Amino acid sequence: MKQKRIVIIGSTGSIGEQALQVIAAHPEQFRVMGLAAGSNIHRLIEQAHRFQPEVLCVGRSEFYPSLREQVEGAYQVLAGMEGLCELATLEQADIVLVSVSGAVGIQPTLAAIGAQKRVALANKETLVAAGDLVMKAVQENDTELIPVDSEHAAIFQCIRDEQAWVRNLWLTASGGPFRDYKAEQMKNITVEEALNHPNWEMGAKITVDSATLMNKGLEVIEAHHLFSAAYDCIKIIIQRESVIHSMVEFVDGSFLAHLGVADMRIPIQYAFSYPERMVSPARQLDFTALGSIHFESPDYERFPSLLLAVQAGRTGGTMPAVMNAANETAVAAFLQRKLSFMQIPELIAAVMSRHQTIQLPTLEQIMEADQWARDESSRMIY
Ligand code: NDP
Ligand code: MG
């Protein structure tokens, strides 16, 4: 395999760090060309010293002077949304991994697609808020968009070129830490409990989303766009061991499933090595130790965020961007202990009910709807 040159947008996060582990394990095959973080310039500089990229970028411009001063001309330094978009189109890069958290990923993703880079997309909020525009750009530019989110990576591998015969997509969910809680217990959930996911180590925002099951709702919308699947054909099944990463059901009754240990380095590496496979640093799945796999249906009453997300997806237009922005704001407020766990879906529902959906929105209208929802949510919280 020819060496692939990689840019990581969001290198200091959970996915970004694991991507660097994959790259470190295959120095012949992969090379880092550019790294971007939001504000953690200390870690960004450490990563730069280790991986020697050509360009660094900090998303929050106020950290630019400090970053520039500390690297003393060793790397080209960019900043802000403009910098992220410039990095996403870096001429010397083949692959752009978008692993920022939140709708901040929309513009760099579109920029990378426009520059015909292979986009390894971890950032689900981008597809949720702007999926129609992103998929249209992928078609127009004839670019590869390879999903990193484990469920979608699984479906991508199962579906291959058999899209015409798909009956249903089955997204698996661990159910999160509160899958066995009674409705009464859900009222007193603390931040510490919500951040303690049984199966996956992830950033704080997605960990809370996994606890409310919003994460699965976002993934339904993500799957709708990635695989042109009707909402009625996207099913959710709780599979608490997180060993089946998702399944495709075909019209003849066959199911293809993707199994493996719960380790994001597998889908990250696949998005880099595709269509080839490489030895992975992840451990192997031990079926005997696993014993059995359990299935159950999700409970929409205890987890209203899931329903809200699917409703937003079905409404379409600007509604998913609004739902996503309200959720991002609510989760941040929950983490700051300004909102209780069950107030997260309440806030999202309230913001969605006030929004007048615009169908077939432009990027500008999506960004406006996103900002409106953030302002509206903040106003209701504070
Ligand atoms: P983290 O919170 O761990 O990391 C987020 C990354 O984004 C950090 O590098 C952060 O930088 C960077 N960032 C935040 N704001 C900006 C900004 N304005 N400009 C540039 N960079 C910014 O998140 P995760 O790695 O857990 O998740 C990343 C994405 O991948 C999310 O969309 C998530 O839903 C998705 N995902 C994650 C999975 C996981 O296992 N973690 C699984 C499947 C999907 P800084 O450190 O400076 O704040
Ligand atoms: Mg996932």
Side-chain angles (χ1 to χ4, degrees):
M1 189 172 83
K2 182 174 158 276
Q3 190 183 52
K4 289 179 172 152
R5 297 161 303 171
I6 300 174
V7 158
I8 305 179
I9 303 197
S11 64
T12 51
S14 159
I15 294 286
E17 292 278 5
Q18 292 179 82
L20 288 171
Q21 288 175 25
V22 167
I23 292 168
H26 302 285
E28 303 284 304
Q29 280 85 4
F30 303 131
R31 169 148 188 239
V32 178
M33 300 308 290
L35 296 173
S39 57
N40 187 353
I41 58 172
H42 174 74
R43 184 66 190 143
L44 185 65
I45 293 168
E46 280 178 359
Q47 292 177 340
H49 288 158
R50 166 94 205 272
F51 290 92
Q52 295 293 312
E54 292 180 2
V55 188
L56 295 182
C57 179
V58 63
R60 287 182 44 197
S61 307
E62 62 268 35
F63 295 95
Y64 174 72
S66 168
L67 177 59
R68 249 194 96 130
E69 192 186 303
Q70 290 184 58
V71 301
E72 295 172 334
Y75 315 95
Q76 186 188 345
V77 178
L78 304 170
M81 185 50 75
E82 222 171 280
L84 295 174
C85 291
E86 191 177 333
L87 185 61
T89 62
L90 194 70
E91 212 191 316
Q92 310 88 298
D94 306 303
I95 301 177
V96 177
L97 170 65
V98 183
S99 52
V100 291
S101 174
V104 68
I106 296 175
Q107 287 166 75
T109 303
L110 286 170
I113 294 168
Q116 293 186 308
K117 306 295 179 193
R118 170 185 295 183
V119 179
L121 188 62
N123 173 247
K124 62 189 77 188
E125 294 89 348
T126 283
L127 279 174
V128 168
D132 289 326
L133 294 181
V134 169
M135 297 315 291
K136 190 163 160 254
V138 166
Q139 290 236 311
E140 283 173 0
N141 292 283
D142 197 19
T143 6
E144 290 176 317
L145 180 73
I146 318 278
V148 170
D149 204 350
S150 59
E151 294 75 5
H152 308 78
I155 292 172
F156 180 82
Q157 290 169 66
C158 293
I159 217 168
R160 308 295 299 212
D161 51 3
E162 297 194 289
Q163 183 127 10
W165 299 290
V166 172
R167 180 181 284 158
N168 290 307
L169 302 179
W170 288 82
L171 291 177
T172 49
S174 71
F178 310 126
R179 58 194 169 203
D180 299 323
Y181 273 41
K182 303 255 176 308
E184 203 46 41
Q185 287 173 285
M186 309 271 303
K187 291 183 185 146
N188 305 314
I189 288 168
T190 64
V191 171
E192 290 70 25
E193 287 168 332
L195 288 179
N196 188 18
H197 194 280
N199 303 5
W200 298 92
E201 278 277 337
M202 308 177 286
K205 193 265 176 178
I206 181 175
T207 305
V208 175
D209 283 350
S210 300
T212 59
L213 294 200
M214 170 54 83
N215 183 50
K216 213 46 57 181
L218 299 178
E219 291 182 355
V220 168
I221 304 176
E222 197 184 357
H224 163 78
H225 290 296
L226 282 170
F227 308 112
S228 308
Y231 282 101
D232 284 342
C233 301
I234 305 173
K235 313 287 180 192
I236 299 169
I237 186 91
I238 307 281
Q239 191 273 282
R240 55 177 62 210
E241 293 81 9
S242 291
V243 63
I244 300 181
H245 297 309
S246 277
M247 302 182 274
V248 179
E249 178 188 355
F250 293 96
V251 288
D252 63 354
S254 302
F255 281 74
L256 292 187
H258 177 282
L259 283 75
V261 291
D263 188 325
M264 287 306 294
R265 291 175 301 183
I266 298 175
I268 294 168
Q269 178 175 293
Y270 186 71
F272 291 167
S273 71
Y274 171 84
E276 295 176 31
R277 291 186 189 269
M278 296 162 63
V279 174
S280 149
R283 74 181 167 78
Q284 282 171 273
L285 181 58
D286 178 343
F287 282 101
T288 328
L290 174 69
S292 42
I293 307 178
H294 300 87
F295 299 98
E296 57 203 285
S297 297
D299 178 348
Y300 291 92
E301 274 176 34
R302 281 184 303 133
F303 299 99
S305 293
L306 177 54
L307 204 57
L308 289 169
V310 177
Q311 276 168 3
R314 285 180 183 272
T315 305
T318 43
M319 191 57 99
V322 164
M323 177 278 299
N324 177 65
N327 179 57
E328 283 189 35
T329 316
V331 170
F334 168 69
L335 289 169
Q336 292 166 19
R337 294 161 218 272
K338 289 179 177 148
L339 216 58
S340 75
F341 187 77
M342 290 311 285
Q343 281 174 327
I344 297 174
E346 278 173 31
L347 184 90
I348 300 166
V351 175
M352 280 173 64
S353 71
R354 282 161 205 241
H355 179 60
Q356 301 247 313
T357 304
I358 301 172
Q359 290 298 342
L360 302 174
T362 60
L363 180 60
E364 200 183 4
Q365 286 170 320
I366 290 172
M367 301 315 281
E368 273 170 22
D370 170 284
Q371 192 56 51
W372 172 84
R374 282 171 209 275
D375 294 344
E376 198 69 5
S377 314
S378 302
R379 202 177 53 71
M380 285 189 228
I381 298 165
Y382 305 102

